[in-house]
Structures are given as structure tokens and as C-alpha cells.
Amino acid sequence: MSSRCHTESAAAAPHPLDPLSADEISAARRILMEAGKVAGSTRFPLVLLDEPDRHVAAAHLDGDPVARRLRATLLDSATGVCAEALVDVTAGVVVSFRELDVAVEGQPPVTFEEFEIVNAVCKADPGWREAMAARGITDTTLAIAGPLGAGALTFDDRPGARLARALTWTRCSADDSCWAHPVAGLVADVDVIERRVIRLIDTGVVPVPAECGRCETEFNGPVRTDLRPLEISQPEGPSFALAGNLLSWQNWSFRVDFNAREGLVLHRVTHRDGDRERPVLHRASLGEMAVAYADTEETRNWVAFLDAGEYSLGRNANALRLGCDCLGEICYLDAVVADDLGNPETLFNVICIHEEDHGLLWKHTDIFNEMAAESRRSRRLVVSYIATVGHYTYGFYWYFHQDGTVGFEAKSTGVVQTTAVLPGEGSAYGTEVAPGLLAPFHQHLFSVRLDMAVDGPDNTVEEVDIVPVPTGPDNPNGNSFTTRATPITDSADGGRLADPAAGRRWRITNPGSLNRMGQPVAYTLTPQPGPVLLAQPDSAVAKRVTYGTKHLWVTRYRPDRRYPAGEYPNQNAGGAGIPEWTAAGESLENTELTLWHTFGPTHVPRLEDWPVMPVDHSGFTLKPTGFFDRNPALDLPR
């Protein structure tokens, strides 16, 4: 990762949690090639850092030797054989190599090359061309057959086949929005290795919507003229500092990382309290996100995407632009990932770091002394990136506040997925956003992985509800309410649901660290609850997206428990990840924990969401709860 912003030191010492470098990715490919594991048909769906155990990372001191290992997933594009390798690029050796049983474990993510392959395969298929001609489309130059994750699709005569399911859109011109012109009632199932359509489902002709859906200014004028300039200036520069990938700001410090699957990752989040550096999080990332649709039509009732595990969310990151994606005194960071051939590829300006005003932080006016008034404005640090997967664009924002609060926000925008209906006919499962153009109802189910470290590694989670006290001797006037804390002691409890009526939140405590009132220090996860997965429990979607059936799962921390839907959710029938880790049950008391928090909007599209959707916000906060002995922002200057 390189930086075009001020750093405290030009060359920080290597750290075990540093992002991958171009040299390391090149070395991994070379080592695998020398070991005879790479052929001309080999593709690299994923190359990731094999992160050290949290104790190894915590014990590292500047100047200590650093051993770097990479996890590479390989796909033979000629045979469909997949494998995973662990490569020690420091020692120059392949540590382990095994072939994947893709029929059981699932497939590696979709490669960028396969987008082109599936599009070309469909356009060459006589049945697909005939179906398009039946809809009045004989020139398919402007059509796009998009490779969508096949979900739980299997064929008895080809177990373990690498599949894609292709829906089709078309355009009026090369720069038109294809999402305005869906070709409904048609899906092509493609064997990506054999490069042929193995099944075509055509449920009948529905007219392709003709109205364009352009969002550019020239198609939506006249432009407003009453918007005056807004400038954000920090004449002395920002208040944060970077030393390599170690970011420090207002008592906060953490390491900034980026990988091809999850995108932005934060390591070793600590807060300085006097002369103590106190840990809060060992690791924080977006572990997975599912987009599950409600359409019942045969060619679309399977649609549910897992954008991290199926499409490599980080590889789809945007190059950010000053004044548009980020505003103010901005620090941009690049990231290095592996391309389909296993070579390093630099993604420019993918991470944005900046400060922003966040309104009033605290204020007190003494009503008995009108001259005595104190107030402080809030400033927060923002670390973010934006990714586009297909038609949707997502912004992911980590917020760090001066009062010790950590926040996370997902901003969903872009274009809603579309299909066609007879104009005016509508659907009980979607919104007709333009004549004959249907936007199906759907859910965005984000799962954030939080490896907690509240004042140390040994933590316990309590579910805290606010409960009214019945009228009686202890509450004679019927006015009282209190809190009820229930420890989550076993991972087999089945996950937890938010309850807005009870003000439910989850408190992560450290029983071995007490505050001045003699209580365990804690951070509290406060959710913004919405519906969990609405698909039926016996559905293929529910089996693959089990994490989405609860707002919170708590598991024991393990270095290999990385993703809530498992390592390879592409064509995985389900049961991997959280279902595996919670089935047998493990004690969760006073130990190393990972929280998996599910949230996100259930989207019933509006007319106002077309042709581009205004941002939909969702997220959560982690607030100190007895972690500090008093307000930690009392030392802010007037």
C-alpha cells in the first residue's frame, strides 16, 4: 500500500500485519511456478495475506524479523480443478498445497475474465440468440449477459462443475444504462470451463422496457443554479498522522489494511488513556454481504449474491476522486491485489482518510450562572472505501470519535436490479419504477466481523435489555424501569436478535479489568435493527446465508474463522462458516471472542430510487461503557 499524504516516517519497519506488496504477490506466483503448480491455464481468484495469530501480532516489536505467508487460491481454467496453497514468501517455499473438493467445499470466487467468457458464450449460443430474436433483438452487440453466482445450482451429470447463471440486459447505445432494458423470462446456465450453455430457461416473451434510465446531468437538466460553493479547509493540515500503515489520531491508533476479498481491514485498534495504550479491537472488517431478492419468477427466484465471497468485494474498489467521493483535506491510499493471472495490480486511491465536523460533542450551560457556559464541537476521523459490484455501489465508512466511540456505516447507492413486466401490471414482489420496469424487493445483509479485545483478549458478552418494573412494593407508583443483563455463555445459543422495544444492545466486558467503580470495563454494540433474512428457513438462500438469520453471533476467536458464510460460498450448498462454528457449542466466558453483527436495509424500491438510488444508510456503533472513568473528551480545547 502506498500513500500520497504526509507520513511520520518515510519507511516504517516491516510489521506482520502490513498489507500485501507487489513484490510479495510476484514472489508467491514465482514460487508456485517453480514448484510446478502454475500452468498457462492457471488463474488466481484470490491471493491474500495469511494473517498471524493475534498473539503473534501483539507480541511483535519494531525490528523483529517478520515471516510473511500468502494464501493463494488457484483455478485451472481448462480443467476446472481448484486448489489452495500456503506460500512462505520469506523462506521462498510452498508450505502446503491441496486440491479443493469443490462439489463439497464450494467454488472460488468469480474471476474478472469469466465476465467476458460468460457474455461471449451466451451470445454464441443458438438457443439464447433465438430467445433474443423472439423478443425482437437480432443484433445482440449491445446486449450484456452477466455472470451471476449460481447459488446452490447443481447438475447430477456434472458434479463440481463451475457454473454461472446469466441474466441479460440490453442498451440503446454503447453508453446507455443497460439496467433500464432487462430481458425478462430468460436465464442461461453456463458451464464456465466447458464454455457452453448447458440449460436455457425461457418462460416467455415480455416486452423489453424502452425508456432510457440515464442519470447524467445532460439527460436531466436544467441544472440547479442556486447551490453555492462549500469549502472545507484545514490550513495547518489534518490532525492525523501515518507511519507506514499505522494511523494515529486523537488518542486512537490502528493499522490500515486492504485485501481483495473484504476490502478495508483495521488491525490492532487501541485508545490512549493517560499513559496507557488500551486495546479495543484486534481486527475489524466487513466479513460478508448478501443481497437476497424476493422475486418468485422462475428465472429469478434463485437470485442471492454474496458480494465478498462470490465476487471479491475488494477487487471491485473504486478509484476515488477529490471533491466528489471525499471532501476536504484528504489522504488517499493505494492497495495492491493480485489479478486473475496472479500478477500484482495496483488499485489507485481506493482508501480515503479524512476528518470531518460532526456537530456538537458536549455542552453545559449553568442555569444559575448565565455567564458559565461550556461547549465542544465534535470531530471524527473517517476511513472509507467504495466498491461497485454489478449495478450496486457501496461505501463503507469506519468512524472514530473523540469520546472513544467507534462507528461503522454502509452507504448503499447505484442502480437497483431490474426485470420487465407488462406495463401497468406491476408485481406483489417489486415496484414498477418506470413503464414495464420492475425493481424487485430485496435485502442487503452486511456481516461485520469484530475480533474484540476490550482492554485485553479475555472478554464476555452480555445481552442488555431495558425492562419495566411491575407496579408493586418495589415500584409503588409504576414509574420504574431497570436493565437486565444476560451473559451469552455458549456459542450454541443460536445467535441473538435485536429488540428495539427493549432497547437491546450487547455489552462486551473484560471481567479481569475493573473501572474505578469496581465494574468490568466494557464497550457496547448498539445496533440499528432491521429485518433479518426473510427467506424461509428451508430455502437454499437461508442455508447459504445462515449468518443473516440473526443480528448477532458470538464465537470463539480462531485464526481460521475468517468469513461468516465460509471460505468458498460460491456454489456452496450451505452449512459452512457460522453454522459449523456454533453447532457443537463452546464456552464464551472470559475468552477470546469474535462478534459477527448482521444489519442492513430491506429495500422496497421507490420511484425516487430510479434511475439512480439516493444513498441508504445502515450501520452500528461501539460505545465505551465504563471503559473510561469519566468523559474522555474533557481535555478538548474551547
Side-chain angles (χ1 to χ4, degrees):
M1 183 180 294
S2 62
S3 168
R4 278 178 296 282
C5 44
H6 171 70
T7 60
E8 288 184 335
S9 59
H15 190 278
L17 295 173
D18 280 345
L20 290 182
S21 69
D23 288 345
E24 289 173 329
I25 293 172
S26 295
R29 190 184 195 285
R30 173 181 53 77
I31 293 165
L32 286 164
M33 181 176 289
E34 291 172 351
K37 305 300 184 182
V38 177
S41 56
T42 301
R43 300 295 182 263
F44 289 75
L46 277 179
V47 177
L48 303 170
L49 175 66
D50 184 51
E51 295 175 12
D53 177 85
R54 62 191 292 171
H55 297 288
V56 173
H60 176 81
L61 300 175
D62 284 348
D64 286 352
V66 176
R68 299 277 283 179
R69 293 181 170 188
L70 277 62
R71 292 185 291 115
T73 304
L74 285 67
L75 162 69
D76 189 323
S77 61
T79 65
V81 173
C82 298
E84 61 179 21
L86 180 61
V87 183
D88 188 323
V89 295
T90 305
V93 297
V94 177
V95 177
S96 64
F97 188 91
R98 75 176 186 95
E99 189 173 310
L100 295 177
D101 183 354
V102 292
V104 176
E105 297 179 71
Q107 290 275 354
V110 178
T111 66
F112 282 21
E113 178 184 56
E114 288 171 335
F115 280 78
E116 300 174 4
I117 290 172
V118 170
N119 188 48
V121 165
C122 288
K123 289 185 175 182
D125 181 73
W128 183 88
R129 297 181 68 87
E130 182 180 343
M132 294 292 283
R135 291 159 170 82
I137 304 170
T138 54
D139 181 357
T140 61
T141 306
L142 296 174
I144 299 173
L148 307 182
L153 179 68
T154 59
F155 290 94
D156 292 340
D157 61 341
R158 53 185 72 229
R162 187 167 174 83
L163 306 172
R165 307 200 77 180
L167 298 177
T168 301
W169 291 263
T170 189
R171 297 166 290 177
C172 297
S173 60
D175 57 356
D176 185 26
S177 171
C178 67
W179 314 115
H181 314 288
V183 178
L186 180 66
V187 61
D189 294 331
V190 177
D191 187 312
V192 181
I193 303 303
E194 293 186 3
R195 301 195 179 194
R196 68 185 183 92
V197 174
I198 56 175
R199 182 176 68 177
L200 192 73
I201 300 174
D202 186 349
T203 60
V205 174
V206 178
V208 176
E211 184 177 290
C212 291
R214 304 295 292 269
C215 61
E216 301 92 328
T217 300
E218 57 268 32
F219 298 97
N220 295 282
V223 177
R224 301 182 193 187
T225 58
D226 57 350
L227 196 62
R228 304 300 174 87
L230 173 64
E231 296 184 358
I232 298 174
S233 176
Q234 293 181 271
E236 299 178 16
S239 303
F240 58 82
L242 273 168
N245 74 316
L246 179 64
L247 179 60
S248 301
W249 177 83
Q250 292 285 287
N251 295 325
W252 288 108
S253 67
F254 50 89
R255 293 188 171 275
V256 182
D257 188 11
F258 192 95
N259 68 54
R261 179 164 178 161
E262 300 161 287
L264 182 61
V265 179
L266 306 181
H267 299 284
R268 307 283 300 154
V269 179
T270 68
H271 193 284
R272 188 175 66 253
D273 183 12
D275 59 357
R276 293 188 296 162
E277 286 287 341
R278 304 178 65 187
V280 176
L281 288 156
H282 169 67
R283 190 185 193 276
S285 69
L286 180 70
E288 188 55 87
M289 56 171 291
V291 190
Y293 284 79
D295 200 335
T296 59
E297 205 273 328
E298 181 183 359
T299 58
R300 298 180 57 86
N301 60 11
W302 50 273
V303 178
F305 310 126
L306 284 87
D307 285 345
E310 290 182 334
Y311 292 101
S312 301
L313 191 62
R315 278 198 71 188
N316 289 275
N318 292 187
L320 304 177
R321 294 180 295 171
L322 185 63
C324 185
D325 301 309
C326 301
L327 187 63
E329 294 288 335
I330 303 300
C331 170
Y332 288 116
L333 301 180
D334 302 336
V336 180
V337 299
D339 66 12
D340 287 352
L341 298 177
N343 296 313
E345 176 186 7
T346 299
L347 306 179
F348 294 100
N349 285 11
V350 293
I351 299 175
C352 173
I353 304 172
H354 72 285
E355 297 172 276
E356 61 186 21
D357 183 86
H358 193 53
L360 191 65
L361 176 58
W362 60 262
K363 181 178 177 65
H364 174 64
T365 299
D366 189 338
I367 62 171
F368 300 109
N369 181 358
E370 293 184 3
M371 300 301 293
E374 292 282 347
S375 65
R376 302 292 186 272
R377 287 198 70 77
S378 174
R379 189 184 300 188
R380 66 182 180 183
L381 179 72
V382 186
V383 185
S384 64
Y385 89 105
I386 297 173
T388 298
V389 185
H391 50 98
Y392 257 111
T393 295
Y394 302 96
F396 301 108
Y397 297 75
W398 287 99
Y399 299 120
F400 292 86
H401 297 259
Q402 293 162 311
D403 66 351
T405 298
V406 180
F408 180 83
E409 185 176 37
K411 299 181 180 180
S412 308
T413 182
V415 182
V416 291
Q417 193 178 112
T418 56
T419 186
V421 293
L422 293 174
E425 183 177 276
S427 168
Y429 311 105
T431 303
E432 192 173 357
V433 294
L437 186 69
L438 188 78
F441 302 158
H442 57 279
Q443 293 184 278
H444 301 263
L445 296 167
F446 305 103
S447 177
V448 167
R449 167 187 165 186
L450 302 169
D451 294 345
M452 301 305 302
V454 177
D455 235 10
D458 297 332
N459 293 167
T460 298
V461 178
E462 298 173 335
E463 185 169 271
V464 181
D465 289 346
I466 300 171
V467 294
V469 176
T471 302
D474 294 332
N475 184 25
N477 288 338
N479 64 300
S480 185
F481 57 89
T482 187
T483 60
R484 179 179 60 221
T486 305
I488 301 175
T489 60
D490 194 290
S491 62
D493 286 347
R496 312 302 300 175
L497 290 170
D499 184 355
R504 180 169 295 168
R505 72 284 310 269
W506 295 285
R507 187 166 60 203
I508 306 99
T509 73
N510 185 330
S513 178
L514 306 182
N515 57 35
R516 68 171 180 161
M517 304 308 295
Q519 298 297 312
V521 300
Y523 259 74
T524 296
L525 191 161
T526 303
Q528 298 174 7
V532 292
L533 183 70
L534 295 170
Q536 292 300 309
D538 60 348
S539 67
V541 176
K543 293 174 183 176
R544 299 180 67 236
V545 192
T546 302
Y547 80 79
T549 62
K550 304 289 184 181
H551 291 109
L552 183 77
W553 302 85
V554 185
T555 63
R556 292 281 286 270
Y557 164 81
R558 296 284 186 273
D560 59 350
R561 292 177 175 178
R562 289 180 277 257
Y563 315 114
E567 293 284 329
Y568 301 107
N570 186 19
Q571 290 182 241
N572 190 305
I578 282 175
E580 291 178 307
W581 308 331
T582 58
E586 295 175 318
S587 172
L588 301 177
E589 294 184 278
N590 202 21
T591 189
E592 298 172 353
L593 300 176
T594 298
L595 274 60
W596 309 88
H597 177 41
T598 303
F599 63 93
T602 293
H603 191 185
V604 176
R606 310 166 296 146
L607 296 185
E608 292 85 352
D609 289 329
W610 183 257
V612 64
M613 173 186 160
V615 164
D616 197 341
H617 303 259
S618 59
F620 65 91
T621 58
L622 279 169
K623 279 186 171 290
T625 310
F627 187 83
F628 303 103
D629 286 337
R630 62 201 311 222
N631 182 345
L634 293 173
D635 58 350
L636 289 175
R638 288 190 178 92

